[in-house]
DNA sequence: ATGGCTGTTCTTAACAGA
């Protein structure tokens, strides 16, 4: 089974990239963030023509998440149940017995800002919810754009980013607390190339100079980590014309 | 120190993203 996540930064603009990527990689499940589409504008027909069905929750201009899958999911959840949040950032369903949770964590803008406080509150609510979900689902995947680089290895210039949003200690601690519930960072289960990132700034030739951050993640419950055989960041779509600033990541799971 | 790209909007300037 192949599970993937990709912040597409506007599905309207990136739909051709997504369809090409689906055809080339054939994931069983692909989670998308920053679709930036209201539900009535979601391109279900184009995606269905590629052999995928979709669940989605979106809004105008900002945020929006979707889960594309070969098989239908059950027990859909939209948003973090205990969090009263109009922003469309969370979508979850069960696929092939696995509870998939697609998230788009708030960016946080700047350490100390109102949006940063919202990010930390949001992460605290996420932790409480994931604790509940793990108690109910041994097979669980939490994946998406976390907007947190967990470790110095995940930052092209840790000195420059020290204390900055996406790499500040409170954010990294919140990430570790989620892991502490019983999740593993699939990317670090395997040997990886040095300087592996999932996001590069559009400006200053960030991608060409590999000035990136690893802020998109696929976290696996212990049960699933045991059967995970690979985790790969695919930089191919980042090289296309008009790319998303994020690259997709994919894990492969063997038989239970 | 700043702004640097990109996408979106009751657009052509302002904002948010990371």
């Amino acid at each position: 089974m192949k599970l993937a996540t990709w912040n597409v930064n506007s599905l309207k603009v990136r739909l051709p990239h997504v369809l090409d990527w689906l055809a080339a990689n054939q994931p069983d499940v692909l989670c998308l963030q920053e679709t930036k589409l209201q539900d009535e504008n979601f391109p279900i027909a184009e995606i269905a023509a590629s052999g995928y069905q979709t669940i989605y929750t979106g809004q105008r201009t900002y945020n929006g998440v979707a889960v594309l899958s070969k098989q239908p999911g059950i027990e859909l959840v939209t948003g973090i149940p205990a969090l009263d949040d109009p922003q469309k950032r969370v979508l979850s369903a069960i696929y092939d017995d696995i509870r998939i949770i697609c998230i788009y964590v708030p960016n946080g803008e700047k350490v100390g800002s109102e949006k940063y406080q919202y990010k930390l509150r949001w992460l605290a609510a996420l932790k409480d919810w994931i604790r509940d979900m793990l108690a109910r689902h041994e097979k669980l995947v939490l994946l998406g754009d976390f907007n947190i680089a967990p470790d110095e290895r995940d930052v092209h210039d840790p000195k420059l980013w020290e204390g900055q949003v996406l790499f500040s200690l409170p954010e990294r601690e919140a990430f570790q607390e989620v892991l502490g519930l019983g999740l593993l960072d699939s990317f670090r289960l395997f040997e990886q190339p040095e300087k592996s990132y999932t996001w590069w700034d559009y400006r200053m030739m960030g991608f060409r100079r590999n000035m990136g951050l690893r802020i998109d993640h696929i976290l696996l419950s212990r049960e699933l980590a045991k059967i995970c055989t690979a985790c790969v960041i695919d930089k191919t779509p980042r090289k296309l014309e008009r790319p998303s600033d994020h690259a997709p990541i994919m894990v492969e799971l063997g038989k239970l």
Side-chain angles (χ1 to χ4, degrees):
Chain A
M1 193 180 194
K2 296 198 276 190
L3 311 174
T5 181
W6 193 3
N7 179 325
V8 290
N9 185 18
S10 169
L11 184 57
K12 183 182 170 189
V13 174
R14 232 65 68 192
L15 185 60
H17 291 189
V18 171
L19 297 179
D20 288 349
W21 197 83
L22 286 173
N25 294 278
Q26 296 293 315
D28 295 282
V29 175
L30 171 62
C31 297
L32 302 179
Q33 301 84 36
E34 285 207 86
T35 55
K36 300 188 180 180
L37 289 174
Q38 297 186 92
D39 290 349
E40 55 267 35
N41 298 330
F42 202 94
I44 30 174
E46 291 90 332
I47 291 169
S50 295
Y52 285 85
Q53 44 191 294
T54 314
I55 57 173
Y56 45 89
T57 179
Q59 63 187 87
R60 207 187 56 166
T61 315
Y62 305 118
N63 312 314
V65 285
V67 183
L68 284 51
S69 61
K70 291 192 173 185
Q71 301 299 324
I74 59 167
E75 294 187 33
L76 269 57
V77 180
T78 304
I80 298 171
L83 185 68
D84 185 17
D85 185 3
Q87 301 191 25
K88 306 299 189 188
R89 298 181 173 278
V90 175
L91 192 53
S92 174
I94 296 174
Y95 298 91
D96 195 21
D97 234 17
I98 298 176
R99 171 54 74 177
I100 305 275
I101 302 174
C102 168
I103 63 170
Y104 174 46
V105 176
N107 164 281
E109 192 197 17
K110 192 171 189 288
V111 171
S113 68
E114 184 54 47
K115 286 175 185 170
Y116 183 77
Q117 297 306 327
Y118 163 64
K119 180 178 192 174
L120 294 180
R121 283 199 309 276
W122 197 96
L123 288 165
L126 176 73
K127 184 176 83 168
D128 289 342
W129 182 47
I130 297 300
R131 185 190 294 113
D132 283 1
M133 290 297 252
L134 275 167
R136 274 180 279 164
H137 305 279
E138 270 199 328
K139 290 179 271 180
L140 182 147
V141 184
L142 177 65
L143 72 172
D145 179 356
F146 285 67
N147 270 320
I148 301 171
D151 192 89
E152 295 201 348
R153 289 178 292 178
D154 305 315
V155 179
H156 69 93
D157 185 346
K159 280 270 184 293
L160 180 72
W161 281 88
E162 189 179 342
Q164 302 296 312
V165 74
L166 311 183
F167 191 54
S168 73
L169 278 180
E171 293 166 85
R172 293 163 64 190
E173 282 166 7
F175 185 84
Q176 290 305 324
E177 285 176 25
V178 172
L179 284 182
L181 300 171
L183 294 168
L184 291 102
D185 180 350
S186 61
F187 190 73
R188 295 300 181 199
L189 296 175
F190 307 96
E191 284 247 346
Q192 299 290 357
E194 278 187 37
K195 303 181 191 305
S196 286
Y197 309 121
T198 64
W199 170 86
W200 301 261
D201 204 308
Y202 282 125
R203 299 164 294 185
M204 295 177 69
M205 297 188 292
F207 182 66
R208 199 182 303 184
R209 299 158 71 187
N210 199 29
M211 294 169 59
L213 304 176
R214 193 176 70 93
I215 54 177
D216 302 84
H217 308 290
I218 302 180
L219 309 188
L220 302 173
S221 62
R222 291 193 188 92
E223 204 66 22
L224 292 180
K226 284 183 207 164
I227 58 163
C228 183
T229 56
C231 177
V232 175
I233 298 168
D234 184 4
K235 289 163 74 170
T236 317
R238 190 61 176 79
K239 300 169 184 169
L240 299 170
E241 287 287 312
R242 276 189 103 182
S244 167
D245 42 0
H246 295 252
I249 329 165
M250 182 155 69
V251 292
E252 284 205 53
L253 303 178
K255 285 258 181 278
L256 278 162

